[in-house]
Amino acid sequence: MRETLVLNASFEPLSTVSLRRAVVLVMQDKAVVEQAHPGLRIRAADVEVPVPQVIRLSRFVRVPFRQRAPWSRRGVLVRDRHRCAYCGRRATTVDHVQPKSRGGGDTWLNTVAACAEDNQRKADRTPEQAGMRLLVRPFEPTPADALLLALGVRERANLPEWLALPA
């Protein structure tokens, strides 16, 4: 499913939403399309809307300042690009490096994306106890990095031209 960037009325990036949610916001006049996918349109009986890539809210939304990105299972999968931290195959689950039963928590530094086979093989053990090696170390993304990861951008240098910062 395509992700759409949501900007505040002040053009400040807020989050990403699904294509369906973006279209609903535009249809309800809660947002306007700032950038659309070229040549793509959504058609209904009486309406035709460009497929939004970036939308801007019509009214300013006050957002509390966040120094840390909130942890979520989806966030861990996106951070690790849906790749297993143990074998590199497609990951569908989240594994706790230090198992929850042994005091490990739901934190960015204690969770990694894992395929179902490796997650079961590791079970209720640490990677060392299971004889498994992490291919990548978990890290805590900043809120800005979490937003870029959700958009599928690996590095700031690879930003789409509509999001690139002026030099």
Side-chain angles (χ1 to χ4, degrees), residues 106-118:
D106 290 336
T107 65
W108 288 109
L109 300 178
N110 189 49
T111 51
V112 293
C115 64
E117 295 85 16
D118 285 341

Side-chain angles (χ1 to χ4, degrees), residues 44-59:
D46 299 331
V47 164
E48 187 173 319
V49 178
V51 175
Q53 197 170 23
V54 180
I55 60 172
R56 181 176 46 86
L57 298 178
S58 301
R59 296 181 56 178

Side-chain angles (χ1 to χ4, degrees), residues 54-127:
V54 180
I55 60 172
R56 181 176 46 86
L57 298 178
S58 301
R59 296 181 56 178
F60 183 81
V61 176
R62 192 174 173 307
V63 180
F65 177 73
R66 280 196 184 147
Q67 287 186 324
R68 305 177 80 178
W71 180 90
S72 68
R73 297 176 75 78
R74 181 180 181 273
V76 171
L77 290 169
V78 169
R79 177 198 67 187
D80 295 348
R81 293 177 182 81
H82 293 272
R83 292 285 156 227
C84 178
Y86 300 107
C87 67
R89 291 189 315 229
R90 178 154 174 76
T92 55
T93 65
V94 171
D95 179 56
H96 291 79
V97 177
Q98 178 73 26
K100 288 178 91 170
S101 64
R102 298 177 188 215
D106 290 336
T107 65
W108 288 109
L109 300 178
N110 189 49
T111 51
V112 293
C115 64
E117 295 85 16
D118 285 341
N119 202 347
Q120 284 182 332
R121 187 163 58 106
K122 182 179 161 288
D124 193 26
R125 302 176 289 180
T126 64

Side-chain angles (χ1 to χ4, degrees), residues 12-34:
E12 167 191 19
L14 290 179
S15 66
T16 59
V17 295
S18 67
L19 174 60
R20 177 183 292 235
R21 180 69 180 139
V23 170
V24 167
L25 288 170
V26 171
M27 296 300 294
Q28 292 177 338
D29 291 327
K30 293 182 178 180
V32 294
V33 177
E34 287 294 329

